[in-house]
Amino acid sequence: GPGKIAETIGISLDQAKLIIAYLFKLFPSIPRYIEHTKWELATFGMVETFFGRRRRFAIKNATGYLRKRAERQAVNFKIQSTSSDIVMQCLLHIAPIIKKLGGQVLLTVHDSIGFEIPRALVTALPQLVKTHLTDYARKIAPWLPVDFSWDCEVGPNYGELKDYKEYI
């Protein structure tokens, strides 16, 4: 909302409202998506990701504040959890491949997958990411209008990661 935008980037509330209005003018599908999600929530008391995972909300007797909060959470859930669904499916796809290469999956953080591979294979990393993450995400989510892209970072540990091109 405008309040959060104004606070985050240090602008006035009026400027934040103008940014939202301009964004909605450029991308008219955004307000349609928001309104459809609010309708879905009001009608069914839940929303679904694009893969069918559901989140239910107790809104039957909710006050205005709680209803608005549920609406914001529903709008975010559909996007963020669909992204999470894609990441988890990609993780399940790439984990055995990484293991066969002598590496291992270490962790996920939000929309990232952290893994280690033998140093000798670092130069193959961009192609590995493209084939087994970007291309695989396209296969499982062909309706996405753009590629589900991944940053490719390398380092001796999680705290010292650098962009692949900078590392090489």
Side-chain angles (χ1 to χ4, degrees):
K4 184 67 173 179
I5 291 171
E7 177 187 328
T8 301
I9 61 176
I11 60 174
S12 74
L13 194 58
D14 288 338
Q15 288 173 312
K17 288 176 183 176
L18 285 172
I19 289 172
I20 292 171
Y22 185 65
L23 180 70
F24 285 5
K25 184 178 179 182
L26 280 176
F27 302 101
S29 61
I30 295 173
R32 286 195 305 266
Y33 161 78
I34 292 169
E35 289 309 311
H36 178 78
T37 302
K38 289 178 182 179
W39 170 85
E40 187 179 352
L41 177 63
T43 303
F44 305 110
M46 67 175 187
V47 294
E48 287 185 345
T49 69
F50 286 89
F51 293 97
R53 186 158 49 106
R54 295 176 175 174
R55 179 170 176 192
R56 290 169 174 77
F57 293 86
I59 60 164
K60 189 172 184 171
N61 297 316
T63 63
Y65 169 78
L66 292 176
R67 180 172 293 279
K68 292 289 185 195
R69 181 174 176 223
E71 288 172 349
R72 286 191 304 276
Q73 289 175 342
V75 167
N76 288 333
F77 172 80
K78 288 182 73 155
I79 295 168
Q80 292 172 343
S81 294
T82 295
S83 177
S84 177
D85 292 345
I86 293 169
V87 170
M88 289 300 111
Q89 288 182 57
C90 287
L91 170 69
L92 292 171
H93 171 73
I94 201 168
I97 295 163
I98 296 296
K99 188 171 184 174
K100 282 181 187 174
L101 295 173
Q104 63 181 340
V105 173
L106 301 174
L107 58 100
T108 63
V109 179
H110 301 292
D111 294 345
S112 301
I113 301 171
F115 54 85
E116 65 181 9
I117 57 173
R119 185 174 296 226
L121 298 176
V122 168
T123 55
L125 189 58
Q127 187 59 46
L128 182 76
V129 168
K130 182 188 179 319
T131 302
H132 297 290
L133 294 177
T134 303
D135 292 351
Y136 187 73
R138 167 68 56 210
K139 180 180 174 184
I140 62 173
W143 37 263
L144 279 175
V146 296
D147 280 339
F148 194 91
S149 64
W150 305 79
D151 293 333
C152 195
E153 297 177 323
V154 182
N157 60 58
Y158 191 72
E160 298 179 69
L161 293 176
K162 295 181 179 177
D163 182 83
Y164 173 82
K165 292 176 184 171
E166 183 182 332
Y167 185 84
I168 296 300

